[in-house]
Amino acid sequence: MPVVLSLAIVGFISQLILGTDQGVVNTILNNHEDPVDWLGNAHINIWMMMIAASWRHVGYVMILYLAGLKSVDPQLKEAASIDGANERQTFFRVVFPTMRPVNVIVGVITVIEALRAFDIVYAVNKGRNGLELLSVLITDNIIGEASRIGFGSAIAVVLLVVSLGSIVTFLVQELRGARD
């Protein structure tokens, strides 16, 4: 269910859960006199947004890893156990290296989602208090009060180069693997 929600909705949900006045967390902790400002503190804010964004993507990543685990040949595990490997050694020396393509896909998806995480930080506090992301800087510079379109476009190019770097790395590794 969380993966079908937009990050803006996840941001609004996190406001309801972590708000200072009627937030669920402060109510459970019974902090009515001195509530913790989970979304206003620059040191805590980024961690709360990472937890909220992770909550949205964890199901999708689990499905990818489940598919990767199902594709591992059981004979490889059996051969490792015959050679005397325990469960931990089998996982880290046989299963995990076999799942390299899945790990690369999850890494690329995570980087891309992290770079486009505009919705959640803008919905929570307009990208302030420790949530100054490239996407928020682009928006503030292009359509903000300063209207520095050139500077905003330059930041957008940096964001594009970083995104393309991870995608090109993924494609090169996959093409090398297909050739081998």
Side-chain angles (χ1 to χ4, degrees):
M1 178 67 181
V3 80
V4 298
L5 297 175
S6 73
L7 278 175
I9 300 296
V10 173
F12 292 133
I13 291 171
S14 61
Q15 278 183 329
L16 292 173
I17 293 173
L18 302 169
T20 53
D21 35 343
Q22 296 177 355
V24 175
V25 173
N26 281 326
T27 303
I28 290 172
L29 295 175
N30 207 8
N31 289 345
H32 297 295
E33 290 81 29
D34 188 25
V36 178
D37 191 6
W38 300 102
L39 300 175
N41 187 340
H43 301 292
I44 300 173
N45 195 1
I46 188 72
W47 296 105
M48 294 299 115
M49 291 302 98
M50 287 172 53
I51 289 170
S54 298
W55 169 74
R56 180 177 180 260
H57 296 291
V58 74
Y60 181 61
V61 171
M62 279 186 191
I63 289 173
L64 289 174
Y65 275 123
L66 181 63
L69 285 171
K70 294 270 186 188
S71 69
V72 173
D73 190 7
Q75 292 177 349
L76 291 174
K77 294 180 197 176
E78 184 181 338
S81 66
I82 289 172
D83 287 341
N86 61 22
E87 291 289 325
R88 184 173 185 223
Q89 291 171 330
T90 301
F91 179 77
F92 284 110
R93 295 189 181 174
V94 176
V95 175
F96 197 67
T98 305
M99 292 179 47
R100 185 172 177 264
V102 175
N103 294 332
V104 171
I105 289 172
V106 168
V108 168
I109 289 171
T110 304
V111 167
I112 290 171
E113 288 296 323
L115 290 173
R116 52 172 236 132
F118 169 80
D119 332 25
I120 190 167
V121 297
Y122 209 77
V124 170
N125 63 4
K126 306 251 189 274
R128 309 279 191 275
N129 295 334
L131 294 178
E132 293 84 6
L133 301 178
L134 286 177
S135 54
V136 175
L137 289 174
I138 292 168
T139 304
D140 285 346
N141 281 297
I142 291 178
I143 62 170
E145 290 180 16
S147 188
R148 300 185 310 177
I149 296 173
F151 186 67
S153 298
I155 297 172
V157 169
V158 169
L159 184 63
L160 174 69
V161 167
V162 171
S163 299
L164 283 177
S166 62
I167 292 170
V168 167
T169 303
F170 166 70
L171 289 175
V172 166
Q173 287 179 353
E174 286 301 309
L175 291 175
R176 283 185 187 159
R179 200 174 341 141
D180 294 341

